[in-house]
Amino acid sequence: MLQNIRDKSQGWLAWVIVIFISIPFALWGIQSYLGGGGSVTVAEVNGVELDKNTYENAVQQQVYRFQSMMQGKFDITSLLPNLRQETLEQMINEAVLTQTVEAQGFRIGNALLQAQIQTNPQFQDNGRFSTDMYHAKVRSQQMSTPEYESRMRQQMMLNQLREGILSATALTETEQQTLQTLKNQQRLVSYLRVPESVATATAVSDEEIKAYYDANSADYATPEKVSIDYVLLSREKLAETIKEVKDDDLQVRYESQIDTYTTKPEWQARHILINIEDGDEAAALKKAESLIERLNKEEDFAALAEEFSADTGSAKKGGDLGWFEPGQMVKSFEDTVKTLKSGEISSPVKSQFGYHIIKLLDAKPETTKPFAEVKEELLKSHKKEEADSLFYGVSEDMANLAFEQPDSLASIAELQGIAQHSTELFAKNEQGEGILSTESIRKAAFSGQVLQEGRNSEVLVLENGDQLVLRIKDHEISQIQALEQVKAQITKQLKQEKIKQATETVGKEVLTALSSGAQQALLAQHQLNWSAPQWVNADDLALPSAVLKAAFKMGTPAAPNALYQGIALSDTEYAVIALLELKSEADEETTPKLKQDLEQQQRGLGSTEYQMLLSGLRQNADIKIYQQNLK
C-alpha cells in the first residue's frame, strides 16, 4: 500500500531501495550511448557517437559502486582520472563489440529477455518475480524500463560472443590428458652449465669490425629528429589572468544559488494505516480513534502497527518509515508531520489511502550554509566559469590564426593567456618529458603538413585539456654513424657472439662425448661439473626456468640410460640437460587440484582469445576521442 504513496507523491520507498539495495549494473549495452540528440560527443566508433551525458552517468555509477564497496573509507579523488579513462575505454570496447555482434546477426528475442529478467533474484520477492520491485529498482538506477531492457539485450548479445569464444577454445581431450600427466609428473634432472670462461679466443680484429660494419651499416643510422616551437593555451594559466571578484558579486551569486547550500528538513516517523473498507469511512475513523486511545494508555506503537497497519511493508518494522524529505509523502501526511513534536502522536489523518496515525520520532530542521562558509567555493566556481568562457573564446581565435597564418606562431602568441615554448631535438618514437610524452604531439611534428610542408599544425589537445599549436624549429635527417662512433658497440657484439659460439661448441662436444664414453676428460679439460640430480615438478623453482622447461619437453628415458639435450642458457652461456628418470605422483588428493588447474587453463585460453579479438577489432576500427569534451 505504501508503494502507492510513493507512486503518487515521489514517496520514500524508492529512496530506501537506493540506500539499502545495491544493483550492480555494469556499463551494459551501447544503445543509450548512441544518437545523443545533439549532446556533446566524447568519442566516435566507426562513425557512431558516444555522448557525454552517458559517459558522465557511467562515471558516476562507477564512483558510486567504488564508494559503496569501500564504505566511505577511501578518498576516490586521486583515482578519479584513471576511473574516467577506464570508463571511456569500456564504452569504446562495448561499442566495437556490439557493432560486431550485430553485424554477425546476434539477436536476443523477447522470450529470452523476459526469462532473464524474471529469474533475476534482484527482482524477486519471496522467490517470485515482482513487477513493482522490478520497476522500482530500475528507476533507482535513473533508467527507464525500455532503456534497461535495451541494455540487457546488448549485454546478453555480448555474453553470447564471450561464452562462444570460451567454449571454442576448450582444451581437447588429448591436451587435457597431456597437461594432467605433466602436472602429475616428477622428473629427475641434472644439468651441466658451460660458462663464458671456456671461450679463450674472443679478440676482435679491426678487419672483422670493418666487415661487420659494411654489412650492417643501416643498423647504425641515427633516427630522424626535429625540434619544435609551440604555443600553449593553458586553462590554469588563463584563470590567473582573471581579475579579482568583489564580495558583492559573490553575494549575488550566493543568493541565486541558495538552494545549492540549503539542506531540506527531514522527519522520521512511524504510522499505522487503517483502510477504508467498502467505502465505510466512519468505521475506519472509529478504528483509528480506538487505536489512539490505546496509544494514549501507553501501549506500544510498534506492536499495534505490526498488528493493525494495512501498510504491510512498514508494519513489519513497527510502522517505521525511516527518514523522509518534503514531497515524499502525500500532502495531508506531510502537513501533519510538520505540526508534531518529537514523540507526539497525531489525530487520525485522512488521505486517499485511508486514515493514518502518525508518531513523530525525530526531526531535522532546514539549514542553510552561511555566505562566509561557502565564499571560497563561490569564488572558485566563479573563476572556473570565467576561465572556461575565456578559454573557449581564445581557443577559437587560436584555431583561426593557426589556419589563416600557417607560416608563423607570432600572432597566436599575442593572444591572451598564450605562452610560447620550444623543445630540444627528439625522434618520433622517442618518448620524452612534458608534451613530448604524448604520442599525438610527436606524430603531429613528423606529419606531412608540419614537416614536409612547413605549416602550423592543427590545434592539438593534451590529456589535461590544454591546447597547443606547433611548427618545426629544426630538422635533423637520419644519418649513418661513422665506424669510429659505433666501433665499441660492434666490438662488444662480436665478442659476445664468439663467446656464445665457444660455449655452444663445448656443449655439443659434451653431448658427443656422452655417447662415446669420453666425457670425463672433456669435463676435466674445461672444469665442468654436473649438478646433483634432483626430483622436480613442472612448476618447480629449484632449476633455471630454461632448464626446467626443456626438461619437461623431453621424452621418456629408458632405464638405465638417460636422455640428453643441449640448450642456450643465456646470450652467452650453454647448458646440457640430463633427464635420468620420471615418475607420477597422482593420488586422490591431487586429482581435484589438477581438475581445477585444467579449468583455469581453459578459461585462461578463452580469455586470451577474447582479448585478442577485442584488440584486433579496435585496431581495425575508426576510433576518435575528443579529449576537449571529456573535461
Side-chain angles (χ1 to χ4, degrees), residues 286-475:
K286 184 177 180 180
K287 183 176 180 181
E289 290 173 340
S290 68
L291 289 174
I292 291 176
E293 290 179 6
R294 295 175 64 175
L295 290 168
N296 289 337
K297 294 178 181 178
E298 298 187 353
E299 286 197 43
D300 184 57
F301 193 105
L304 292 179
E306 187 172 353
E307 182 178 355
F308 294 105
S309 181
D311 178 13
T312 56
S314 67
K316 296 176 182 178
K317 297 179 287 185
D320 191 355
L321 301 175
W323 288 95
F324 53 90
E325 297 179 351
Q328 291 185 314
M329 296 296 175
V330 291
K331 188 175 186 303
S332 59
F333 192 104
E334 182 180 317
D335 289 345
T336 300
V337 168
K338 291 178 180 178
T339 67
L340 298 177
K341 297 178 181 178
S342 294
E344 188 176 0
I345 298 173
S346 73
S347 300
V349 178
K350 185 182 177 183
S351 76
Q352 63 265 47
F353 307 107
Y355 281 97
H356 304 265
I357 304 168
I358 308 169
K359 180 178 181 179
L360 182 64
L361 302 178
D362 199 359
K364 298 177 183 177
E366 178 178 282
T367 58
T368 301
K369 292 182 179 179
F371 172 75
E373 185 177 332
V374 299
K375 179 180 175 181
E376 288 301 317
E377 181 180 341
L378 289 164
L379 179 61
K380 184 177 180 180
S381 61
H382 175 82
K383 284 192 171 184
K384 183 179 184 304
E385 288 181 8
E386 289 285 320
D388 286 346
S389 176
L390 185 58
F391 183 88
Y392 291 119
V394 176
S395 173
E396 185 175 356
D397 293 340
M398 181 180 185
N400 291 336
L401 288 172
F403 177 77
E404 294 168 359
Q405 301 180 27
D407 299 326
S408 172
L409 299 175
S411 296
I412 303 177
E414 294 174 359
L415 294 174
Q416 180 180 357
I418 296 286
Q420 187 163 356
H421 306 273
S422 298
T423 71
E424 300 296 327
L425 289 165
F426 62 92
K428 185 176 182 179
N429 296 322
E430 178 187 349
Q431 184 172 2
E433 298 180 352
I435 67 164
L436 298 183
S437 65
T438 303
E439 183 180 4
S440 60
I441 300 297
R442 302 194 303 271
K443 185 176 180 181
F446 284 87
S447 68
Q449 172 181 330
V450 175
L451 184 56
Q452 276 75 47
E453 300 174 20
R455 295 188 288 135
N456 295 336
S457 72
E458 298 176 351
V459 174
L460 303 169
V461 181
L462 298 176
E463 187 175 347
N464 64 358
D466 290 350
Q467 299 182 3
L468 63 82
V469 175
L470 60 84
R471 64 178 295 102
I472 293 298
K473 178 183 178 183
D474 293 314
H475 179 204

